[in-house]
Amino acid sequence: MKRNIVIATVAAAAVVCGGTAVAFADDDGGRTDRTAVRDVRDAKVTAAQAIDAALKAQPGTAVSADLDDDRGWEVDVLGTGTTSYTVQVDAGTGKVLGKETDRDDDDRIDDADDRRVLKGAAVDARQAAEAASAKGVVTSVSLDDDDRATTAWDVDTVNGDWRVDLKTAQVTPDDDGQDDRDDADDRDDRAEAGDHADDSDDN
């Protein structure tokens, strides 16, 4: 689910937990320092830990968690009724920096679908993240939203993309994710070949 998050980044002199301290504008208009990791592998807080922290701050059902090297963890939580939230969690400390109430009509449609899918699920987002963590550092967890009937969590790691079954927690490779990476690699190879050709022309 795409969320509109108001982020204000401010240069800071201190280096914190292997990253740079920046400022975040929360719902109340205040600012709190957060850690921007240089690389997702530098994050001290795992996806499962970020989800735990988010749910302590905002009880409900976590439906996604995404790690951004500038913004830290953003965890989407379904609350009661039709209300949903995005909770920001510092990737270096696990501190909850703020939350935003999501009011977009499109988001509410997505939320209704997520509630329906998760109603009979035995594996939650935190469990899916833990199951896939054996494959590598988890960078995102979300419900599978492609053309197939939703039966799994999509979990991205630094080593590849995986599907975690909603019923059994079985982890299997996400072939669609691999296809996307192969396409990206092919584009990179073509671009690099073009650069070499340009260099040859210059000589």
Side-chain angles (χ1 to χ4, degrees):
M1 289 179 288
K2 295 181 179 178
R3 310 295 186 187
N4 294 322
I5 308 298
V6 179
I7 302 293
T9 55
V10 179
V15 174
V16 182
C17 297
T20 303
V22 299
F24 171 79
D26 61 22
D27 276 350
D28 297 326
R31 288 197 326 207
T32 49
D33 289 339
R34 74 183 310 158
T35 302
V37 295
R38 294 192 183 98
D39 186 280
V40 293
R41 296 176 182 81
D42 294 332
K44 308 298 183 183
V45 178
T46 67
Q49 291 169 334
I51 291 170
D52 275 343
L55 292 178
K56 286 179 182 177
Q58 176 53 62
T61 302
V63 292
S64 72
D66 292 290
L67 177 61
D68 185 282
D69 53 0
D70 290 326
R71 298 190 296 253
W73 286 103
E74 294 182 356
V75 182
D76 290 331
V77 177
L78 299 178
T80 58
T82 59
T83 307
S84 60
Y85 307 88
T86 297
V87 182
Q88 293 81 27
V89 179
D90 190 287
T93 65
K95 179 181 178 181
V96 173
L97 302 172
K99 68 178 180 180
E100 178 182 87
T101 302
D102 299 313
R103 299 182 175 87
D104 188 277
D105 288 341
D106 290 338
D107 288 338
R108 291 182 180 179
I109 293 173
D110 291 339
D111 292 345
D113 289 340
D114 291 344
R115 292 178 195 275
R116 174 184 54 78
V117 169
L118 292 174
K119 189 174 183 179
V123 179
D124 62 23
R126 183 187 185 283
Q127 293 167 327
E130 285 190 326
S133 65
K135 304 297 185 180
V137 177
V138 174
T139 58
S140 74
V141 181
S142 62
L143 283 172
D144 181 359
D145 60 357
D146 62 15
D147 292 336
R148 295 169 293 188
T150 302
T151 59
W153 292 96
D154 276 335
V155 184
D156 294 346
T157 74
V158 294
N159 296 325
D161 301 337
W162 308 88
R163 301 180 79 242
V164 179
D165 192 277
L166 288 173
K167 300 287 188 181
T168 66
Q170 180 180 5
V171 180
T172 56
D174 185 341
D175 294 333
D176 289 344
Q178 183 61 52
D179 290 342
D180 290 342
R181 289 194 303 278
D182 290 343
D183 289 343
D185 290 341
D186 289 343
R187 288 193 296 271
D188 290 341
D189 290 342
R190 288 195 295 271
E192 185 175 352
D195 290 340
H196 288 316
D198 290 341
D199 292 340
S200 297
D201 290 342
D202 291 340
N203 294 330

